[in-house]
Every structure is written in structure tokens, then in C-alpha cells.
Amino acid sequence: MNTFKSKFIEFTSYFFMLLFCYASVSKIMDFENFQVQIGQSPLLSAYAGVISYGVILVEVVIVIFLSIKKLRTIGLYGSTSIMSAFTIYIFLILNYSDFVPCSCGGILESLGWTEHLFFNLFCVIIGAIAVFISERTSGYSKWSTAALLLLSNILSCLAVIFLFLSSENIIKQDNNFTRRYLMHPIVEKQITLLDNSYYYFAGADNKNVYLGNIKFPQQILVLDSSMVIKKKMNIELDINELPYRKLETKVLGSHYYIFDGTVAMIKSGLLNRSKPEIVSQNEAYFSDLAVINDNNSFALRTQSSRTKELIIASLNVGNNSKVQLHADFLQKQSDGVFDNDGVLNVDPANGDIIYTYRYRNQFIVADSTFKVKHRLNTIDTVSTAHVKSVKLPDGKYKMEKPPLKVNGFSTVYRKLLFNQSFLKGRYESAKRWKNSKVVDVYKTDSKLYIGSLYMENRGENKVSDIIVTDQFLYAIAGNHLIQYQLTKPLLRHLK
């Protein structure tokens, strides 16, 4: 072998040794962060555990092979194959991924994805040349060398493609509790400081946001989409007419609704009139209410007078006002009370009713006639509510110990469910989790997990409620009202 060829093989071997040695050591030194990065890969999330260990192991083995002269050729084959795998990975990221992460990370973190792609191609080329020189020196034909080199590189690329396709199916449809955080799905646009921290969302449309207030339940605060306070509307209500204990307000279309399920009272009025009229009185006691449409049709969560279990009911107010119980809507697991607890929402775009269980990984989607269309799952693995209760002599239930919370606040808009989760998934940053609320996004018309987003705390104030319109996501954290602009990763899923 002439001096140039031997030097080229030696240079290439040392180059790959340095590259993989540094890469594997840096991964080992910051292994938790490396796993988090793989877990957030738009292609390989579902296999983060296996891949995080496998990549390090392969890199270390390649370094060992390259350092032993008799095994150097095998090490060069391995180097070329793994760089081909990295190359096809970046190609898929750039062309077929739902989003492109900020950077590749690793040894060449300062490079962009395109630059990293060219660097990898360069490594494949010099690796292939070194393999040819080494094999020709050993007496192997160029055709057998080319065939073996082509086969090893094709297999490594096919392995990445297989992982990508199967990972997409696992993450979006058969998720093993690995979250995928969308790349900048929302961008903070404006913040308005409210006069107190008792506000919640009563409703929203593309022009205005309506805030109810726990402490001042007869008040509705109206802000326009530029976050300017338009007015404080005070509803005329005689608080002495009934023993009100839980007054709440909701806004839909041109009407507002003020109600208290503990006294079976619902009143409604036009937004330009402060005096409401009775819609329903003494027809149904309830613990939660959602307005289905502007024609006084409601979804209620109430309690069976016979079994004391939670049940969903419909109330259609008109000439023949009627309450109808839907006994099969909720599915009891233990006591039928705490295990059936959840959040009741209505999609304002189509009238679909969505009920998200609080203590298990399921949400129910029904049409406006209460016909259940889907029983879908959130991505966590808590399929059975971890609640333990005892039945009291009066037939009521009491919890023996605090339950495991699974789902928190939620909102629905245009067949997307935005659901806050209490459970940390696999390969997630503990620090980021501590400083944020996590919201998972699901389709309501199919078994599909879209992705997740962080809702950052505002100092000691945590996000307590959210609502979505065609352009914005609004959040309340303490006395902060935050407006986020929706970006492409979410907008493309809004129907």
C-alpha cells in the first residue's frame, strides 16, 4: 500500500474515532438530557429508551474496532453505515417531519440541519473511500466491496425509516406515554394584568373574550381581541331570592348565562342587557353545565337520586321543557361518583359534547343529541381511576385518601381537545415540568394525539384556565391574562 492510501485510511479512522468517542462520552456525561432530546425527536420519540442506549453502544463498539488494526475495516464499514443512518434521519426531519427542531444537538450543535446533512454526507463519502482502499489492499474485488458497502448502508437507512414509520404510529395512535412537544405551537403576544386573581373564562369568540369571576359572580369582564377591556358588565340578580352557593356565568353567541346548580336555577340574557330572564327553575339540580347552542339547550352533570352516582343529562328548554338522563354516557368503575368525576365541555364550532374524566385516561365525544361517537384515551397509562371511597349512612360517598389526578382543566375548539395533564411522561425534563403546566392536544373525531405544549408559570402563579379561538389561545395565571398566537403546528389541525 502506498503512503498516501495508508495515510488516508489512518486519517479517516482517527477522524471517526475522535468523532464517535467525543459523541458517546458527551452523551454519557449528560445522559438524562440526551434521552429527553431523543424523546422529543419528531421521528424517534417512541423508541427513545432503546435508541439512547443503542446509539452510545454502537459508537463505543465502532471506536474499539477502529482502534484495533485487524478490525479497522469493519470499523470503517460501521462508521459509514451509522453516518448514512444519521444522514437519512436528517433528510426525514427536513422533508417528512411534523416539525423541524431548533438544532441537531450533539457534537455539531452549532450547525443547522442542512449544514449537518452535508457534513454527514462528507463523512459517508470519506468512509466509503477508506473502505474501498482497505478492501482492495486486502485483495477483495471492487464489486464485492461495493455490494457489501451498499448493503450495509441501505440496511442502516431502512432501519431508520422503519423506526420513523412505526414511531409515528405509536406516538399518535398507540402512545406509550411519550409526549411530543410541538415546536413553537403558540407564541406569546400580549399580557393584560387583571384587577384580581379570581377570573375564569366564561366564553370567547373571534372578537371578544368573556371572563367570569368567582368572587364577583354577577360580573362579566369583556375584552376585545387586542386585549383592551371594553366593559365590566354587572348582571342584575337578586342574590336574596334563592340561597345561591355556586353562581357561575357562561357566554355563547349573543347570550350570557348565569346559573347555580345547587338551587336548580338557570337565567339568560342578551349581552347588551344586564337583566336576565329565567330559563329553567327547579327542573334539574346539577354540578356542571355546558351550553350546547343559543337555543337554550344544555348538557348537565348531575347525580342520580336513586344511586347517588354522577350522570349526564340533557336539558332542552322550550314549550315542553324536558330533562333527559343519559345513564350509559358515563361508565362506572368503582363508586360511580369520584371515579366518574370530570370536566364537561361543548365544542362551540359544532355542538359536540366532550367529557374528560379527571382520574383516568379517557374522554368521551358525543354529538349534540348525546349519542356517543367515540370513547378515546389520553396518552397516559392510568386506565382505572385510583380512588378509594367509603359509602356513608346517608348514601353519599367520602374519599378515604387523595386520589391520583390525571387530567385537569380543558377546552375544546374545532375538534381539538386541549387537556391539561397532571402526569409526567417518559423522557421529560423535571425542571421544565416543575415550572409549567403541560397541555396535551387530541383530535376529537379520531384516535389521534397531536402533540403537547408548555404553559409557563408566571412566578408563583400557575395557569388555571385556557380557551381557544380561530387565531389565539388565551390563558389565565393568577391575575395575568395571556394571549398566545396560534402557529402552523396547531392551525393546520383546526377544522
Side-chain angles (χ1 to χ4, degrees), residues 213-225:
N213 195 292
I214 297 170
K215 194 173 183 179
F216 307 102
Q218 294 165 253
Q219 181 188 98
I220 296 178
L221 183 65
V222 185
L223 299 91
D224 62 22
S225 58

Side-chain angles (χ1 to χ4, degrees), residues 86-214:
F86 292 159
T87 302
I88 196 69
Y89 171 74
I90 294 175
F91 177 79
L92 292 172
I93 286 280
L94 293 174
N95 293 279
Y96 297 100
S97 170
D98 283 346
F99 63 91
V100 178
C102 294
S103 70
C104 273
I107 191 171
L108 301 173
E109 191 170 2
S110 59
L111 293 183
W113 285 95
T114 303
E115 291 84 357
H116 210 139
L117 179 67
F118 285 115
F119 173 81
N120 286 0
L121 286 171
F122 167 77
C123 292
V124 171
I125 292 169
I126 65 169
I129 293 172
V131 167
F132 265 100
I133 294 173
S134 179
E135 291 286 51
R136 291 290 289 160
T137 303
S138 301
Y140 290 95
S141 71
K142 61 181 179 180
W143 299 113
S144 61
T145 301
L148 185 58
L149 191 63
L150 189 63
L151 179 63
S152 61
N153 281 265
I154 288 175
L155 288 176
S156 64
C157 291
L158 287 176
V160 173
I161 294 171
F162 169 77
L163 290 173
F164 161 54
L165 294 175
S166 58
S167 179
E168 285 296 279
N169 182 67
I170 291 171
I171 288 296
K172 292 186 175 181
Q173 298 190 43
D174 300 307
N175 195 286
N176 58 354
F177 205 13
T178 302
R179 282 194 174 87
R180 175 176 295 171
Y181 287 93
L182 301 171
M183 186 57 59
H184 307 305
I186 54 176
V187 177
E188 186 178 305
K189 190 175 181 183
Q190 297 182 74
I191 297 179
T192 292
L193 292 180
L194 305 171
D195 56 358
N196 63 70
S197 58
Y198 298 99
Y199 287 101
Y200 60 89
F201 289 111
D205 52 40
N206 290 325
K207 293 182 179 179
N208 299 308
V209 180
Y210 305 95
L211 303 182
N213 195 292
I214 297 170

Side-chain angles (χ1 to χ4, degrees), residues 424 428-438 454-457 459-462:
K424 186 161 73 76
E428 292 186 43
S429 168
K431 182 179 179 182
R432 190 74 188 271
W433 182 269
K434 182 180 178 181
N435 295 325
S436 314
K437 286 287 182 74
V438 171
Y454 286 113
M455 305 293 296
E456 303 289 346
N457 298 342
E460 297 298 318
N461 297 314
K462 298 179 180 180

Side-chain angles (χ1 to χ4, degrees), residues 50-69:
V50 175
I51 291 174
S52 58
Y53 289 103
V55 168
I56 294 173
L57 179 62
V58 169
E59 289 176 342
V60 170
V61 170
I62 289 175
V63 169
I64 293 172
F65 276 34
L66 290 171
S67 62
I68 301 173
K69 198 166 186 179

Side-chain angles (χ1 to χ4, degrees), residues 28-40:
I28 293 169
M29 295 291 288
D30 195 10
F31 184 72
E32 183 180 356
N33 186 49
F34 173 57
Q35 268 200 330
V36 169
Q37 288 179 339
I38 296 294
Q40 294 312 309

